[in-house]
Amino acid sequence: MALSGQEEILGEFQAFFFSMNRLSSFPWTVLEQQLQSSRSSEFLLELLKQTCLHPLCRTFPPSVRYRRLFLSELIKRQEAAAGAPLDELFDALAEVVGVLENPECYKTYFLPGGDTVSLQENVLLISEGTTGLVTWEAALYLTEWVLENRQLFTGRYHLVRTSQGRLIGADC
């Protein structure tokens, strides 16, 4: 089944947002065209529901700074399109404005099969802030391969780090 133009835009924004792509790489021009043609805030509200208001954003949130920048850019683009103000947009921005930045954040990738993979990143674990600041794209491809070849890992034992930092054993 083919996606509609709006669904494609929403999907691209969602994937870019959760993987914390550079804001300059987002399809802002397409968004502005959509906002100008609809003159309704419904599309923008749906975009918020697919990004900042999505349950995944509560469970595995991108960095606070990134969410602030994203929401500020959405407001700027919405105002440029002469759209009516959207309370939910400003509420979402107000929610992150007063929040202190946490060194831990998540990048979530949407895999072709519909699964998601969320990777926790912590800049405090970086050696003097010089390396490892981004997840390698190879991690995404490795994850896809593992999911396609689950039988290779069935019955294997591996270590998992808990939220308290302890290592525990688990069966695959």
Side-chain angles (χ1 to χ4, degrees), residues 14 22 38 78 102 104 136 149:
Q14 184 182 55
R22 289 177 297 115
S38 71
Q78 187 250 352
N102 185 339
E104 295 176 350
W136 291 11
N149 296 281

Side-chain angles (χ1 to χ4, degrees), residues 2-165:
L3 295 175
S4 74
Q6 284 188 354
E7 289 171 332
E8 282 185 43
I9 296 167
L10 293 171
E12 193 168 357
F13 265 85
Q14 184 182 55
F16 282 18
F17 173 79
F18 282 105
S19 62
M20 292 186 5
N21 277 18
R22 289 177 297 115
L23 290 179
S24 62
S25 68
F26 279 70
W28 296 111
T29 306
V30 177
L31 173 68
E32 287 175 340
Q33 292 169 350
Q34 185 65 40
L35 292 174
Q36 289 172 349
S37 68
S38 71
R39 295 287 184 206
S40 165
S41 56
E42 286 178 33
F43 180 76
L44 193 55
L45 181 58
E46 188 57 36
L47 179 63
L48 275 175
K49 288 178 181 178
Q50 296 301 318
T51 56
C52 295
L53 301 181
H54 194 280
L56 196 55
C57 194
R58 297 270 184 229
T59 310
F60 301 110
S63 76
V64 172
R65 181 176 184 274
Y66 185 81
R67 287 180 282 157
R68 277 187 211 128
L69 292 170
F70 176 78
L71 289 164
S72 297
E73 188 66 26
L74 270 182
I75 290 170
K76 183 174 109 180
R77 301 295 175 141
Q78 187 250 352
E79 288 175 348
L86 180 64
D87 289 342
E88 291 87 349
L89 181 56
F90 291 94
D91 291 344
L93 181 61
E95 187 176 311
V96 294
V97 164
V99 176
L100 293 176
E101 187 67 49
N102 185 339
E104 295 176 350
C105 64
Y106 294 87
K107 285 189 177 182
T108 299
Y109 298 93
F110 292 82
L111 302 176
D115 291 318
T116 60
V117 174
S118 296
L119 303 173
Q120 182 183 47
E121 295 188 352
N122 185 332
V123 294
L124 294 181
L125 297 176
I126 310 306
S127 172
E128 298 179 22
T130 59
T131 59
L133 295 176
V134 296
T135 302
W136 291 11
E137 289 297 315
L140 177 60
Y141 296 107
L142 176 61
T143 302
E144 287 177 10
W145 182 84
V146 168
L147 289 172
E148 290 170 2
N149 296 281
R150 292 176 196 243
Q151 72 281 0
L152 297 174
F153 301 92
T154 303
R156 302 255 180 156
Y157 188 79
H158 68 283
L159 294 175
V160 176
R161 187 172 300 278
T162 68
S163 59
Q164 294 82 25

